[in-house]
Structure formats: structure tokens, C-alpha cells
Amino acid sequence: MESATPVIVAIDGPAGTGKSSTSKAVAAQLGLSYLDTGAQYRAITWWMVSNGIDIDDPSAIAAAAGKPEIVSGTDPEGPTITVDGVDVAGPIRTQEVSSKVSAVSAVPEVRTRITELQRSIAASAEQGIVVEGRDIGTTVLPDADLKIFLTASPEARAARRSGELKGSDVHSTREALIKRDAADSSRKASPLAKADDAVEVDTTELTLAQVIECVVTLVEEKRAGK
């Protein structure tokens, strides 16, 4: 593959819209690096829980925000994440971490720390990168070459997420997603929001393959025009 113009792609949206699957596939197809920013917030949450930090005390979280060393591997075929040298790819996906990540993520010192980490990773991606999260186009990489905001109905998102979380009940999954969206959209520091210049893609009625194809086309058009 000839070296194409490096491009920074920001993909935002709430949980269950297909962000991770789409972002990884697009990055792999186009030879770009990939960063799951949600995994970084989960990683710092996991560290807080593991080290007995009181999740209900924002000042305690803020005081500890700079302590863990978080390293993200950016290969879309096999993204990795470690905290203080420990592989946490599995542990960060537990229900305990999922239930606490919004509270930890809302603390400004945590957001500042993780945002700096994300910007440095994006800046060092020589071929370009697909960065997925909830505030990438608005806060982390406001100058990204292409911003995409994925949406889907709460029902579609709950069905997908409960399919991922084997054995979970769609109704309770839907309630949990709506609750998390409300928490992430209303937080003061970098809320979940669509950037003014983002392309919105509603994935409710689309297959994953169709979403990937749509995003790849958008990236290729942006590259061609650079």
C-alpha cells in the first residue's frame, strides 16, 4: 500500500452505537493507528478501585489522577492497554468498573491527565489514527481532519450491548445506557456532545459492514481532498 496522507479521524458517540467495532475495522482497513479512549478511562477507574480510592470523593480521585502509568497499544488488529505494566484489557470490562467509570471520568484532573495522553498518542501516529470516544471531536482533538458522530436508538444500542454482555437483560441494559448518557452529557468537564462540524451517522438500521463502509468512504474522501 502506498503511503497515503496521514489523517486524524475522531469518532464519537454514546455506547452501543458500534464505535469500537467500526473504529478498529476502519483503522485496520486503511492502515491507521487506533485508540480506544474509553479503555483509558476504564483503566484509570480500575486502578482507583484496585487501590481503594473512594470513588464518591472527587478530591481523592483528583489527588491520585497522576499516579497510574497507562500505556495504550495502537494496533487495530490487537489493541492493548496496561496500567503500571499490568495487562488490564480484561479487568477493565467488568460491571464494577462500568458502573464507576462515569464518576471517575467526570473529575477534571482525570480528564486533563487522560486528554494529554490521548493528544500525545495522536500526535505521534505517523500514518494517522482513528480515535474513538465521547469528547474527541469537541475537546481532545478539535482540529481532527474528520469528525464522525455515531448515533442509534436506545433500543438498538441496548440490544447490541446486551448481545456483547452475554446473558444480560435488554431492558436493564437500556436503562443503564440512558443513565450513563445522561451522566456523560451533563458533566461539566468535556461532556459527551456532537461537534458542530461532525458528520452524523445513524447506525440504527445499518449493519456493521455498512457503517464501516460509510466511514471508510468518508475518510478516503477527506484524504483525497487534503
Side-chain angles (χ1 to χ4, degrees):
M1 179 175 162
E2 80 273 22
S3 75
T5 314
V7 62
I8 292 179
V9 183
I11 300 186
D12 289 305
T17 52
K19 269 200 321 261
S20 294
S21 305
T22 300
S23 301
K24 274 188 274 205
V26 169
Q29 204 167 315
L30 296 174
L32 303 172
S33 294
Y34 160 76
L35 179 61
D36 174 359
T37 64
Q40 296 177 315
Y41 283 106
R42 284 174 172 275
I44 200 165
T45 302
W46 173 85
W47 184 91
M48 298 278 176
V49 171
S50 301
N51 285 273
I53 308 296
D54 183 356
I55 302 300
D56 297 319
D57 181 355
S59 61
I61 293 172
K67 291 181 179 175
E69 184 192 7
I70 299 167
V71 178
S72 297
T74 57
D75 177 0
E77 306 279 6
T80 57
I81 186 151
T82 63
V83 179
D84 297 335
V86 177
D87 176 3
V88 294
I92 63 171
R93 301 293 169 187
T94 61
Q95 188 52 48
E96 183 180 24
V97 171
S98 296
S99 66
K100 294 181 169 133
V101 69
S102 287
V104 174
S105 303
V107 176
E109 289 80 357
V110 169
R111 297 208 77 78
T112 299
R113 162 90 202 282
I114 300 293
T115 296
E116 285 171 359
L117 182 58
Q118 291 162 358
R119 286 178 178 156
S120 69
I121 291 169
S124 62
E126 293 177 7
Q127 303 302 315
I129 191 167
V130 177
V131 183
E132 60 135 316
R134 291 172 169 239
D135 66 338
I136 310 307
T138 52
T139 302
V140 180
L141 300 168
D143 299 325
D145 299 306
L146 175 64
K147 301 174 190 176
I148 294 168
F149 194 86
L150 298 184
T151 63
S153 71
E155 290 73 23
R157 292 165 47 212
R160 288 172 190 162
R161 187 43 68 94
S162 60
E164 290 168 16
L165 306 168
K166 300 292 180 270
S168 65
D169 155 28
V170 174
H171 177 73
S172 61
T173 302
R174 179 179 180 273
E175 296 304 309
L177 286 174
I178 290 171
K179 188 175 169 188
R180 181 159 176 213
D181 291 346
D184 289 353
S185 301
S186 61
R187 66 170 177 243
K188 291 188 174 66
S190 311
L192 163 66
K194 179 185 166 215
D196 293 337
D197 53 347
V199 179
E200 186 168 320
V201 179
D202 187 335
T203 70
T204 306
E205 302 292 335
L206 301 177
T207 64
L208 177 59
Q210 288 171 321
V211 179
I212 293 165
E213 184 184 0
C214 171
V215 174
V216 165
T217 302
L218 289 168
V219 177
E220 287 180 330
E221 284 172 355
K222 180 58 70 173
R223 266 181 167 173
K226 274 190 84 175

